[in-house]
Amino acid sequence: MWASQLEILAWINEVCTKYGIRYIMCYGSMIGAVRHKGYVPWDDDLDIGMLRADYEKFCGVVLSELPPCFKTRSLLPGAIPPKEMSFNVCNGGMLDTSPEFLEQFHGCPYTTGVDVFVFDRVSDDPQESEYQDRLIRLLDRMLMLQWDVDKNTISEELRQQYMEIRRTIERELAYCFSDAEPMTMQILRLLDLACGICEDCGSKHVENREQVIYYGEKGFREEHFTDRIFVPFEGVMDVPIPRDYDGILSNIFGDYKIPRKHTSQHEYPIYKYQRSELYKAYNAREWKIPDEFLEYDENGKLVVDPADCRA
């Protein structure tokens, strides 16, 4: 999984170098780069961050540069539709056990990728900042309710809340939701616009605006993305981090030099669901599962018994 992600990161780095696009390793990937010269041993994903201007530039070239084996999970044309507010460069949208795929991605049959977090300017005007936060919260709440609408599991009470938010958004933004595109995609486009509405305010304070709603501000500044140094990562490439990495990591993690296992924002491991689906597919065909797809703990016991994975 790590090697697959590094293939994708190496390609992103190549494109960013070619077009003068700046990025930094972000969150847990930054602490891994500093403390472990690679992944945090119990981490299983890669996060990078870009300022809005660099992100827009990246979006403008990514489709023309994308290799046949890569895809994006994004709002771009032809991309895998995202469910959440995220941009991801990945190696496909499904399990793949073909010899070609396994050779390209180091024997890993799982789809994986690199998440790109967009950092937008935070207005120094309290009223502007408050309005933006309110707008993002409304759209984010509507997005979560939309998931229940799509599954037809929403209660009548929440449906009324959903319709009230929808009317508020349409009225305040002079926007008319359409049947021509899935609602989730429309909400995500509005969320992206809402996160970037203060881009011209001149502030040097930047944050991933949606992350701030849930996890608070992390003290990112524009210079953290422009004043960078490069450090080795897993012995295969050098990656950019802020020169003031100590200030950033101390603000986010406290004493980051002492390893502690933190709860991930996603289920661990990140491929857990895919592993179950892989085993189910083999079981349904009554095929023997190749040894390289089985995982064992330090005592030699199967982490997941394929016999427990039935369709």
Side-chain angles (χ1 to χ4, degrees), residues 100-116:
E100 297 79 13
F101 187 89
L102 294 177
E103 182 177 0
Q104 172 75 24
F105 295 107
H106 307 274
C108 179
Y110 306 126
T111 179
T112 189
V114 175
D115 290 332
V116 181

Side-chain angles (χ1 to χ4, degrees), residues 228-248:
R228 306 173 300 163
I229 60 173
F230 287 77
V231 296
F233 199 89
E234 292 298 332
V236 299
M237 61 186 296
D238 289 344
V239 297
I241 61 172
R243 188 178 300 276
D244 182 27
Y245 65 84
D246 184 70
I248 283 290

Side-chain angles (χ1 to χ4, degrees), residues 112-168:
T112 189
V114 175
D115 290 332
V116 181
F117 289 87
V118 187
F119 284 74
D120 290 295
R121 298 186 192 279
V122 181
S123 176
D124 296 323
D125 184 320
Q127 286 188 319
E128 286 184 357
S129 184
E130 184 179 336
Y131 171 75
Q132 185 188 36
D133 280 356
R134 172 181 167 274
L135 185 57
I136 292 172
R137 288 177 187 275
L138 278 174
L139 287 164
D140 203 65
R141 179 59 178 163
M142 185 179 180
L143 177 65
M144 288 186 282
L145 292 172
Q146 184 65 47
W147 299 340
D148 290 335
V149 170
D150 291 341
K151 292 184 294 184
N152 200 28
T153 58
I154 193 167
S155 68
E156 186 55 37
E157 180 183 357
L158 290 180
R159 185 179 293 277
Q160 290 179 12
Q161 181 186 134
Y162 168 82
M163 292 306 299
E164 183 178 340
I165 294 174
R166 175 172 174 165
R167 286 190 291 268
T168 300

